[in-house]
Amino acid sequence: MRKMMRYGKKYGGADPQLIEGDVFRMIISVPEFSTKQEETVDPTQIRVHDGVHDTRLSETMKKILVLLIEPKSTPQLLSELGYPRRTRNYEAAIKNLLDFELIEMTLPDTPRSKNQRYRQTEKGKSLISGIL
């Protein structure tokens, strides 16, 4: 009941109507939705188009892209991001940035080398200039 009251207030803008009778009723007003939804563009939302998909960069991807102004290794990136170890979020962000060709490996022939570092590509540099 408490959740329904909060829901009605949050999404309907007013307290729900409670009607007691033979049957208890709760009426929650909801805003009208137009058939045409206007898409508001948030300048902090950066999108990358890879030819097929239009993808929004996650916060982790943006942070990594900004940190890679100069080449860094995975331990350096993890430290600067505040991660104690590799996470799925970190791995996914690196993979997506590599797939979108926003970053590249300094040693592409040996991806698991302890000397591996990541750096921005020209595409990444041009995108990052829009962030900073």
Side-chain angles (χ1 to χ4, degrees), residues 4-127:
M4 293 300 292
M5 296 295 284
R6 276 190 265 160
Y7 176 84
K9 183 86 171 181
K10 184 175 181 179
Y11 295 105
D15 287 327
Q17 293 178 339
L18 304 174
I19 302 170
E20 288 186 62
D22 292 339
V23 178
F24 180 79
R25 293 186 198 169
M26 178 183 274
I27 300 172
I28 300 172
S29 59
V30 294
E32 292 194 27
F33 297 101
S34 65
T35 55
K36 267 189 181 177
Q37 289 184 345
E38 296 178 20
E39 186 175 327
T40 57
V41 178
D42 184 358
T44 62
Q45 298 295 318
I46 300 165
R47 294 177 179 263
V48 177
H49 187 72
D50 65 357
V52 179
H53 302 97
D54 190 27
T55 305
R56 226 175 252 165
L57 292 184
S58 70
E59 288 301 314
T60 303
M61 291 169 69
K62 286 185 222 175
K63 288 177 186 176
I64 290 171
L65 200 54
V66 169
L67 290 172
L68 289 177
I69 291 174
E70 57 187 50
K72 290 190 174 36
S73 65
T74 292
Q76 289 172 320
L77 282 172
L78 291 172
S79 172
E80 291 188 34
L81 289 168
Y83 291 159
R85 63 187 165 283
R86 290 179 189 220
T87 62
R88 281 190 229 159
N89 187 30
Y90 170 80
E91 294 291 336
I94 290 291
K95 181 186 178 311
N96 288 334
L97 289 168
L98 287 167
D99 289 347
F100 291 131
E101 298 175 356
L102 297 174
I103 65 171
E104 63 188 3
M105 296 179 192
T106 56
L107 303 170
D109 296 332
T110 54
R112 300 185 55 75
S113 169
K114 67 178 182 176
N115 298 321
Q116 184 64 261
R117 295 184 183 280
Y118 298 98
R119 64 177 168 227
Q120 291 177 357
T121 61
E122 289 302 317
K123 186 176 174 183
K125 288 177 185 175
S126 64
L127 184 66

